Amino acid sequence: MNHVETLRALHHGRTPGDPLVLPGPWDAVSARTFEAAGSPALATPSAGIALSLGYEDGQVPPDEMFAAVARITRSVSVPVTADIEAGYGLPPAELVERLLEAGAVGCNLEDSRDGVLKDPAEQADFLAAVRQAAGDRVFVNARVDTFLRGVAEPGPAIERARLYVAAGADCVYPILAPAEVVPALRAGIEGPLNVVALPDGPGPRELGERGATRITFGPGLLHRTMAALQAMAKELV
């Protein structure tokens, strides 16, 4: 089984309370640390990589982002899926090839641009083009930004998710979905469901019991690491 087959298989056949937990490495050493702890796969966060490279979230030049992903993939032996934001304006075929050249076998693709939700039909067409270019070589996680953009009701997220699954997405990711709406999302969406675990929210097991298939952390693990470094730094000064 190759890496993309392994990644895809990890998303299926899971029982409630046992979601796939994917830590988010921001560099090679964090990736190796998570792999050594037993993580079966990793999911890079664009915001975490941006912070590690000295950029604001969303401001990393594509070449630097793909280079950072490549440093992570070549440092570990487990599958890596990469957050590549909205695709950097690259044509789908080029986007897929650059992702594969960086050694990643999956990607997040968000459905907002410059802080504004994209037309869902337009995003579905884009995802379909990515799927056609990738074939089975890439696991596509379609991010749904309705909650991020202030839409509190789950209905619009479910509608977008259904379009994206029909377009060929392997998984959908309604980022910042409140824990209390996860059961409604699970009931309305076919296939794997990615939920982000927040520092002040339920843990992976509880989110899994509510219907999450996959748990990611965004830049949260880097933020926790930075807090520990700040505490050490204060002791040294």
Side-chain angles (χ1 to χ4, degrees):
M1 187 179 292
N2 61 32
H3 271 182
V4 70
E5 291 171 343
T6 297
L7 181 62
R8 192 167 279 117
L10 285 168
H11 288 75
H12 294 279
R14 310 203 70 88
T15 58
D18 181 33
L20 173 61
V21 178
L22 296 182
W26 53 91
D27 60 10
V29 68
S30 59
R32 286 174 174 164
T33 300
F34 294 136
E35 180 185 30
S39 297
L42 302 170
T44 71
S46 64
I49 288 179
L51 187 58
S52 74
L53 295 177
Y55 290 97
E56 295 296 322
D57 186 21
Q59 300 302 310
V60 181
D63 288 350
E64 291 197 47
M65 181 61 76
F66 285 115
V69 171
R71 287 192 292 272
I72 289 169
T73 62
R74 65 174 174 255
S75 71
V76 295
S77 60
V78 296
V80 175
T81 178
D83 183 347
I84 51 174
E85 303 179 26
Y88 307 113
L90 297 172
E94 182 179 350
L95 183 66
V96 168
E97 291 310 314
R98 294 203 64 178
L99 187 71
L100 293 171
E101 287 171 2
V105 293
C107 66
N108 284 5
L109 287 168
E110 59 198 48
D111 69 347
S112 58
R113 183 188 298 117
D114 299 325
V116 178
L117 286 166
K118 294 171 64 176
D119 177 79
E122 173 191 346
Q123 180 69 0
D125 287 344
F126 173 65
L127 291 170
V130 171
R131 169 56 64 214
Q132 182 176 16
D136 291 333
R137 297 179 296 167
V138 173
F139 185 95
V140 176
N141 189 31
R143 205 177 88 175
V144 179
D145 287 0
T146 51
F147 297 104
L148 178 65
R149 303 303 171 200
V151 181
E153 295 300 317
I158 292 171
E159 291 173 7
R160 285 173 176 263
R162 287 174 173 171
L163 281 175
Y164 303 161
V165 170
D170 296 283
C171 182
V172 291
Y173 177 22
I175 189 171
L176 297 187
E180 59 268 21
V181 306
V182 172
L185 295 172
R186 175 69 287 159
I189 298 170
E190 181 181 353
L193 175 65
N194 186 168
V195 175
V196 65
L198 300 173
D200 56 351
R205 178 175 293 277
E206 182 177 343
L207 291 172
E209 290 171 348
R210 292 182 184 225
T213 309
R214 157 175 161 165
I215 307 297
T216 52
F217 303 87
L221 301 180
L222 174 54
H223 289 160
R224 290 171 61 180
T225 302
M226 289 173 62
L229 284 172
Q230 287 167 356
M232 285 188 283
K234 287 180 180 179
E235 293 179 2
L236 297 173
V237 174

